[in-house]
Every structure is written in structure tokens, then in C-alpha cells.
């Protein structure tokens, strides 16, 4: 690092004042004869002058006060021109302020000082660039070798000598450097608000900023990480806090370079996650469709960390897509093998679990996490069972969710998380082990609607289901079906004609309801 002290010693000169401050870095060297050059200086410059206009003691003292007050690194005063030696008033004022001043004899041209200083500065910047490039290559190698985001932030933490963390757009920590104190909860909470303030909200690009928190002081820097299209805001933030001192040019350089590496790693993770989600959806669809024998099903579940025993969690919410990442991340933090995928309008998770109470507790935590991030959600969970029985576990959870929904529609209170204890009559359907027998029963009740109703058959089935769910209330059922009540009455008469049953009879309603639910189990 170029300092006034090192430059003076390299030139064979001596400091006349301010030795205690001569170790401050020199950013640039400037030559001037103005009595007040500070409007054109930004601080940390070394100033060279012959003092042509400093012809009185008061001007000399004022000149030093201006330079020191503006944060300059020091003053080199050329003698042999208007001044044969250093002015006493100037040296006296510099000593009072602890401001570095040295004499530049006539035989030492200013160009010799500037050349020496600029050579040092260029070499230092080149060294910084070389060190930054070496670290950037190490970070790239970590991504190429798929070491993951934790390895990237660990390397960054060692490089800057402090804490490094990657936060998502909501302020949640995705990874933080090991071996250094983590950001405090208070600092993270304050960061959450500041991230949104600097994000730009799609109207302008997100900008780096110095986090405002007493734990961080001026030691920290937050930089936006963009992994999407322009104008979408920051997808994540790279936050770094040095153990001591503000980030210097070297730290700022490698952090700026690291933003690109972090973005690449997040994109790689997203690609892997999207692939895993498609695979998870395929495995779940084949398992629920009964297309996998037990041995093959266990083999397909093993890569997801699901082995002997598993439970199924299901969630019903307005938009399950965004909640899929939230659920997967929450289960990963809990340390469970899991398969997360959508099944129709439901968000499902197959989780490696053995204890029923722990499974129920996990379902409550998952529901709370989803509700906090995505709004109202209904949840249900199956009992832990052999992984080969995944299909039955899914229907147990789904039926429990529906049973609780029906109970709530009747004005009864509903559990936060439904379970096998809430199944009611669904337990009868789930106890039937022979799918073919159940399919034959369903066909005997509902078959005439599919075979005689033509293209209208699916509409008749939907009308029948809603009419039963609404307990025969014509107004509510018609409203849910978006049709007039007279249209619904026509459909119900058509159903009764095709099946020979009477929906005003309790027995026929029960048989229709059992057949509709049973058809879902063997679908």
C-alpha cells in the first residue's frame, strides 16, 4: 500500500511533520499552486506545491488547515523557488494537526515523485487484480465441481476475513460462511426491510448499499444478485461484513466478481431443482397410478432419501406452485428425505418418517411455513407406512383433507392439520384392499351416467358430486356449478332416470357418495 511514509523513504527524503499520520493510504498525487485546491479533490491525495501564492504566515496556516480538513494524505512542499526552505508557520500548523509534510528539494523534480507514486499505485492495482482473478478462478472451480453455495461463501469469507451470507429476496439465509460469526438475528431482521428498499421493485435496477445496523457499522456491504431477466429485481443478495474495518478496494473487487459466481450457482441449483421437481412429479404420478411394483417404487424413492417408512403430507391452497419451493426448503432444513410435487390442485410431500406424533408435528410446522409465505392453506397428513404403500398413504391424507373440509362446510370446527382420526366414513373405503372390487362397485353405481350420458356424462357426475356435498341445497349447489337452479334440477332428474335411484332417499345419496369417493381411490 502506498503511503506518505513509504514514498518519502523511497525518495530518500524526510518528514518534517505528521509522522503519526503518514501511514494512511495515498490514493493519487496532485500538483497545484492554487491557494485552495480542495473543491477539485476528493480526499486521500498527496498534494505537491511550490507555494507560489503562500507568501504570508496566515496563508500558509490556512492552506494546511484546508488540506487536513479535507482528508488529504499529505503535502510535499517544493523549495528553491519562492521559498528557500519549508515555511516555519506551515510546519508549525502541520505539527499541531498531525498532518504529514515533507520538503522536496529543488534537485528533486515533482515528476520523479509522481512517476514513483503512479508506478506503485499501478503495481498495487495490478496485484489486487491478480489476487482477485485468482480468487475468482477458485470460486468458478467450486461451481464447476458442484461443491455448492456453502463452499462458495466459505471461500469468500476467508478471502475478505469476515462473514459472508447469501440471502434470498425475502431476507432468508440461503448460505453463510463457516468459521466466522453469523449475522445476528437483529441484523437479519433490519436487513429484510433494507433489501426491499434497495431492490428497485422492477422500476429501476437494484443497487448495492451499506447496511444500516449497529452490529455492522461500516464493515458491511450488500450487493444484488440477478438471476432472472432485466427489470425483475434482485433474486438474492450477497452480504459481506469484515471482522474489522470497512471493505477496501480488494474486498469490493472480489465481492463484485463473486456476484456473477453466486448467480451462476443459484441458476445451477434452480436447474437441478426443476429437474428434480419433474422427476418427483413423474414418480408420484406413477406411484399413485399403480404403475410401479413395490420393489421398483422403493428404488425410485431412494434417490430422494426415502427408504423403508414414509408419510404423505398434502396441502390445499390457491396457488400451490410457488409454495413448492417453500415446502421443499423447510423440509430440507428439518433434515428429512423428501419428495415434493404437485398432484392436481394439491401440493404433496412424501417424507421419510417413522413416528406418527413427529409426523403430525412436522405437518403443523410445514403448514405454518406455507401459510406465512403464501396465505391460507389446509393441510392433512397420513400415518407413517411402508414406502411401498405410498398410494394408500396419499389417499389417506387426501381423504382426511376432504373429510375435514366437508365438516367445516357443515359449520363444524376443522383441525389445522387433518389426519386418519378425521377420516370418518372414508375409513371404510380405504379399508377395501381389492381395487378391482372397488372399481366394480363404483361402475355399478356410476356406470350408467358415463355410458348413457355421452359427452354430458362428466357434467352429470360433477353436478351429482356438488349436489351431495351441498347436502341437497339447490341454491348453493347451482352457485358453485355456475348454472341456474332449474338447470341443476334437470340434471338431477336425468341422473335419477339413468341410474334408477332417487336422490331424496338417504340410502341412494350414501351409495352415490361412496361411489364418487371410491372412484377417486381407483382412478
Amino acid at each position: 500500500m502506498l503511503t506518505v511514509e513509504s514514498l518519502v523513504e523511497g525518495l530518500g527524503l524526510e518528514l518534517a511533520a505528521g509522522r503519526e499520520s503518514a501511514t494512511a493510504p495515498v490514493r493519487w498525487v496532485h500538483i497545484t499552486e492554487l491557494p485552495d485546491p480542495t473543491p477539485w479533490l476528493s480526499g486521500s491525495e498527496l498534494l505537491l506545491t511550490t507555494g507560489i501564492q503562500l507568501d504570508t504566515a496566515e496563508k500558509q496556516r490556512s492552506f494546511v488547515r484546508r488540506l487536513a480538513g479535507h482528508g488529504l494524505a499529505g503535502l510535499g512542499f517544493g523549495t528553491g523557488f519562492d521559498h528557500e526552505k519549508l515555511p516555519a508557520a506551515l510546519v508549525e500548523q502541520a505539527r499541531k494537526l498531525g498532518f504529514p509534510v515533507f520538503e522536496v528539494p529543488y534537485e528533486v523534480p515533482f515528476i520523479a515523485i509522481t512517476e514513483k507514486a503512479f508506478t506503485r499505485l499501478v503495481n498495487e492495482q495490478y496485484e489486487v487484480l491478480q489476487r482477485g482473478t485468482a480468487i475468482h478462478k477458485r470460486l468458478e472451480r467450486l461451481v464447476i465441481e458442484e461443491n455448492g453455495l456453502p463452499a462458495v461463501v466459505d471461500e469468500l469469507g476467508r478471502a475478505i476475513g469476515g462473514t459472508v451470507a447469501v440471502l434470498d429476496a425475502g431476507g432468508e439465509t440461503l448460505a453463510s460462511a463457516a468459521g466466522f460469526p453469523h449475522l445476528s438475528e437483529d441484523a437479519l431482521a433490519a436487513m429484510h426491510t433494507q433489501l426491499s428498499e434497495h431492490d428497485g421493485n422492477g422500476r429501476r435496477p437494484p443497487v448495492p448499499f451499506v447496511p444500516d445496523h449497529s452490529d455492522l457499522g461500516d464493515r458491511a456491504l450488500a450487493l444484488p444478485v440477478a438471476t432472472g431477466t432485466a427489470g425483475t429485481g434482485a433474486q438474492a443478495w450477497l452480504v459481506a461484513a469484515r471482522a474489522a474495518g470497512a471493505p477496501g478496494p480488494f474486498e469490493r473487487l472480489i465481492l463484485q466478481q463473486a456476484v456473477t459466481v453466486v448467480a451462476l450457482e443459484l441458476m445451477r441449483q434452480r436447474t437441478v431443482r426443476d429437474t428434480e421437481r419433474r422427476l418427483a412429479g413423474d414418480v408420484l404420478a406413477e406411484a399413485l397410478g399403480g404403475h410401479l411394483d413395490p420393489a421398483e417404487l422403493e428404488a425410485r424413492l431412494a434417490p430422494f432419501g426415502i427408504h423403508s417408512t414414509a408419510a404423505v403430507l398434502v396441502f390445499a391452497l390457491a396457488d400451490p406452485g410457488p409454495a413448492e419451493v417453500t415446502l421443499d426448503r423447510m423440509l430440507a432444513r428439518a433434515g428429512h428425505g423428501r419428495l415434493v410435487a404437485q398432484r392436481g390442485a394439491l401440493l404433496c410431500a412424501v417424507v421419510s418418517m417413522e413416528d406418527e406424533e413427529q409426523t403430525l408435528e412436522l405437518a403443523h410446522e410445514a403448514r405454518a411455513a406455507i401459510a406465512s409465505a403464501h396465505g391460507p392453506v389446509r393441510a392433512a397428513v397420513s400415518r407413517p407406512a411402508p414406502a411401498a404403500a405410498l398410494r394408500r398413504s396419499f389417499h389417506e391424507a387426501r381423504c382426511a383433507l376432504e373429510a375435514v373440509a366437508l365438516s367445516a362446510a357443515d359449520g363444524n370446527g376443522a383441525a389445522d392439520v387433518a389426519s386418519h382420526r378425521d377420516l370418518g366414513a372414508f375409513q371404510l373405503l380405504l379399508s377395501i384392499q381389492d381395487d378391482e372390487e372397488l372399481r366394480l362397485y363404483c361402475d355399478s353405481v356410476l356406470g350408467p351416467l358415463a355410458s348413457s350420458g355421452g359427452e354430458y356424462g362428466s357434467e352429470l357426475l360433477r353436478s351429482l358430486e356438488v349436489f351431495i356435498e351441498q347436502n341437497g341445497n339447490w341454491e348453493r349447489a347451482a352457485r358453485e356449478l355456475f348454472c341456474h337452479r332449474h338447470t341443476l334440477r334437470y340434471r338431477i332428474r336425468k341422473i335419477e332416470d339413468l341410474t334408477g335411484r332417487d336422490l331424496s332417499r338417504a340410502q341412494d345419496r350414501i351409495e352415490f357418495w361412496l361411489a364418487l369417493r371410491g372412484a377417486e381411490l381407483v382412478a
Side-chain angles (χ1 to χ4, degrees), residues 169 193 195-207 231-234 237:
T193 302
L195 293 182
S196 59
E197 290 175 354
H198 292 83
D199 184 56
N201 300 317
R203 294 188 296 273
R204 60 187 184 279
V207 294
T232 58
W237 290 84

Side-chain angles (χ1 to χ4, degrees), residues 352-392:
S352 185
M353 296 291 291
E354 294 183 357
D355 182 86
E356 183 176 334
E357 290 305 317
Q358 290 180 356
T359 302
L360 190 59
E361 182 180 345
L362 179 66
H364 277 281
E365 293 173 0
R367 177 190 175 278
I370 294 173
S372 174
H374 306 284
V377 57
R378 294 185 295 114
V381 61
S382 75
R383 289 166 289 186
L390 173 61
R391 187 165 179 266
R392 188 186 187 284

